[in-house]
Every structure is written in C-alpha cells, then in structure tokens.
Amino acid sequence: QVQLVQSGAEVKKPGSSVKVSCKASGGTFISYIISWVRQAPGQGLEWMGRIIPIVEETNYAQKFQGRVTITADKSTSTAYMELSSLRSEDTAVYYCARETEEMITTTMAHRYFDLWGRGTLVTVSS
Amino acid sequence: DIQMTQSPSSLSASVGGRVTITCRASQGISNYLAWYQQKPGNVPKLLIYAASTLQSGVPSRFSGSGSGTDFTLTISSLQPEDVATYYCQKYNSALDLTFGPGTKVDIK
C-alpha cells in the first residue's frame, strides 16, 4: 500500500527555517509529482509548490517564491520542503500530497491530489 | 489572479437531505476544478476532479457539475459520515492551484 510518511512536529523561532520530510513507501517515487499544501489553524488549504523528481523540476506558488525550497532524494524516495524566514503566520500543518496529472493536451492537464501524508505541525513561536 | 469563492460558508442539513455547495471562479477555468472533503481532524480526501469525474471509491451520492465560472458539489442524500468541510480547487494554471475558502457541512 502506497503511503506518504511525514516527519514529526517542529517548534521554531521566528526568523529560523524548518525542513519537513515526506517519504514515499510502497510505490514508484520517481514517477510521482509531490506537492506541498499547508493549513493554518482553523483555516483553509494553501498550495505551496511541487517537485517532479524524475526531471528534478520545481514550481512554487508566487506567494512563497524565494522563501520555500522543495527538494527530493530519489535514493531514499523522500521529498523535502524547507521554509525560511519563519514568522508566526507560518504556524500551520504542512501536508505533502501526490499530484496526479492526466494530460489533455501537450500543455493542459487535469491534476489532483489523490494521496496525502498525515501532515506535520510546524509551530513558530518566540 | 483568479479568485475562488464558495457559498454558503456553512450549512446544516438533515440526514437524507440534499446538499448543494457552490464554487465560483472570478474568471473562466473551463472544467479544471476539483473537490476535496476534509473531516474534522483528518487529511483532505479527493472527491471529484475535472468538475464532474468521481474519484474511485467515492460514494455515488456525491456529484459535481459546472464549467467556466460556476460549479456545484451535490450530496444527494446526506449521511452522518459526510460531516466535513468541503473545498473546491482550481488548476487551470499548473502554477496556481488555489483552493476555495471551504464550506462546513453539519447535521441538523
């Protein structure tokens, strides 16, 4: 059974960085697209970016450009999301999710998150 | 940027009742829309993509419709296990996967 297993909760100081991991088990990691989505307490879902390990390509939401780095280690089937310059508003649960892409044309696709990790709570507090 | 809105923000319905949630995009997004269900304390779950395609394993009481700017998620017969917050998400641009603000569904 394919699973995405995330690292444990973190408590960080404002201005520091956090790195969350997401290990895929039971599947073919190299063929995945891994996205990161966060959810602040009591709030909605926010897409942060993705990595396509097979081509080592990353895309980031404009809001997080310059502050987030998503990487992948193909040898361990693990994706990472590092967020820097943390502030209190970054307190949230961070999810990794497998993004499935169904190409319609060469440029357009139906894409959806069909497998999610359990989430990692990151608390930013002085 | 295309903004996503949902209405209502919350609703209560009786078991067996019909529930309709609306999602609107500020510009046309064709049928590049997905719906997710998030039960309290749980991880989001994919219900529908391509506006109306039911994900494998999702009960048939869930359905989606719409294209362009207006979309609906319908639960034909609400069950107690459907208590959750429902989110729409657009993906017409691969670089902007914005979620709607969510609709909380309770049992009356």
Side-chain angles (χ1 to χ4, degrees):
Chain A
Q1 183 179 353
V2 182
Q3 292 185 81
L4 298 177
V5 180
Q6 296 189 223
S7 50
E10 302 260 15
V11 178
K12 293 293 182 179
K13 299 285 189 190
S16 67
S17 298
V18 67
K19 191 170 186 177
V20 180
S21 68
C22 170
K23 182 175 176 62
S25 65
T28 313
F29 178 78
I30 192 71
S31 67
Y32 292 173
I33 299 171
I34 298 293
S35 266
W36 289 87
V37 176
R38 77 176 186 180
Q39 185 170 38
Q43 302 300 309
L45 302 167
E46 189 172 30
W47 179 73
M48 301 178 69
R50 70 167 68 83
I51 188 163
I52 308 172
I54 195 168
V55 292
E56 298 182 356
E57 177 181 333
T58 54
N59 303 122
Y60 301 120
Q62 191 169 7
K63 173 177 178 177
F64 298 101
Q65 285 272 6
R67 211 160 65 93
V68 68
T69 304
I70 298 174
T71 56
D73 182 340
K74 288 175 278 192
S75 68
T76 60
S77 300
T78 303
Y80 298 90
M81 185 285 300
E82 184 170 20
L83 187 63
S84 62
S85 303
L86 289 170
R87 35 208 188 231
S88 58
E89 310 90 87
D90 294 318
T91 294
V93 175
Y94 290 76
Y95 295 103
C96 62
R98 182 179 67 186
E99 180 179 336
T100 292
E101 183 181 63
E102 292 184 6
M103 299 306 297
I104 305 165
T105 68
T106 53
T107 57
M108 295 301 294
H110 288 300
R111 54 185 71 249
Y112 45 86
F113 304 140
D114 58 357
L115 179 67
W116 294 69
R118 298 296 304 168
T120 297
L121 175 62
V122 175
T123 303
V124 182
S125 173
S126 55
Chain B
D1 290 358
I2 298 175
Q3 305 303 315
M4 305 299 292
T5 58
Q6 287 184 233
S7 60
S9 57
S10 64
L11 65 89
S12 292
S14 300
V15 173
R18 187 179 184 88
V19 169
T20 299
I21 298 168
T22 297
C23 175
R24 285 201 169 93
S26 59
Q27 297 176 42
I29 57 170
S30 185
N31 68 336
Y32 296 109
L33 188 101
W35 289 96
Y36 293 86
Q37 173 195 64
Q38 186 176 31
K39 297 181 180 181
N42 277 21
V43 172
K45 173 187 174 183
L46 174 68
L47 296 177
I48 286 166
Y49 64 95
S52 60
T53 301
L54 202 65
Q55 171 69 348
S56 175
V58 174
S60 59
R61 64 180 179 274
F62 291 93
S63 65
S65 65
S67 183
T69 59
D70 295 339
F71 303 86
T72 58
L73 173 70
T74 300
I75 308 172
S76 60
S77 176
L78 186 68
Q79 301 301 304
E81 61 266 32
D82 300 334
V83 169
T85 299
Y86 294 84
Y87 296 94
C88 61
Q89 182 204 27
K90 74 170 192 69
Y91 53 83
N92 62 305
S93 166
L95 300 181
D96 180 12
L97 276 60
T98 301
F99 289 88
T103 296
K104 187 174 182 181
V105 174
D106 279 326
I107 300 292
K108 190 183 295 183

